Amino acid sequence: GAGVSQSPRYKVAKRGQDVALRCDPISGHVSLFWYQQALGQGPEFLTYFQNEAQLDKSGLPSDRFFAERPEGSVSTLKIQRTQQEDSAVYLCASSLSGGGRNEQFFGPGTRLTVL
Amino acid sequence: GIQVEQSPPDLILQEGANSTLRCNFSDSVNNLQWFHQNPWGQLINLFYIPSGTKQNGRLSATTVATERYSLLYISSSQTTDSGVYFCAVRYYTSGTYKYIFGTGTRLKV
């Protein structure tokens, strides 16, 4: 597609369930980023991939969060044993070159609600 | 780490008015983007502007990297301009690049 797509757009999970969020970046984009946006706040960086390599995961809030991009295109953010504090919008962005030197383009986000 | 602050935090405008939004950052940055987050949550790219001045229709932006600020100008505001405006910066620290969003300016027209 022409832009970054994410699925599902909305996800409701019971506390303790595992969830998987998908990101399809713009075709050919080397860099891929995940962000978490809590209600009323700005996006906060979670992790960064350059092709299939996860170069920075310093923003992942706990070891319950795991991200992968095995073939250097589609990425999945997995959250295990979800907690209520995980409720947020999860945003994916991609950029053309490595190192995030170019502008980032964002997907529509996945709104996760943990009950 | 670097601090990125935006002002004003909230802004109410009459349709047709002009405004200036400011983004201050506390240390050197490698690039800077302005985004508009519409009421549906989509982040829309406005400008990629690590330095200099750019214009796109009713919007323009200026970044003075040496003085650590960027300005976003909105002229002849329209109701569709409502939403939250973020600046986001990329900076180098501890051997890696980091990305941080500003505090945002919530605009209602």
Side-chain angles (χ1 to χ4, degrees), chain A residues 64-80:
Chain A
R64 296 185 296 103
F65 287 70
F66 171 77
E68 60 183 4
R69 193 185 186 198
E71 297 179 358
S73 56
V74 170
S75 177
T76 303
L77 177 67
K78 298 179 179 178
I79 309 173
Q80 297 176 324

Side-chain angles (χ1 to χ4, degrees), chain A residues 44-65:
Chain A
E44 293 193 356
F45 171 80
L46 293 177
T47 188
Y48 162 62
F49 289 86
Q50 182 171 310
N51 295 309
E52 68 279 3
Q54 188 176 22
L55 299 187
D56 188 345
K57 54 182 181 179
S58 61
L60 296 176
S62 77
D63 59 7
R64 296 185 296 103
F65 287 70

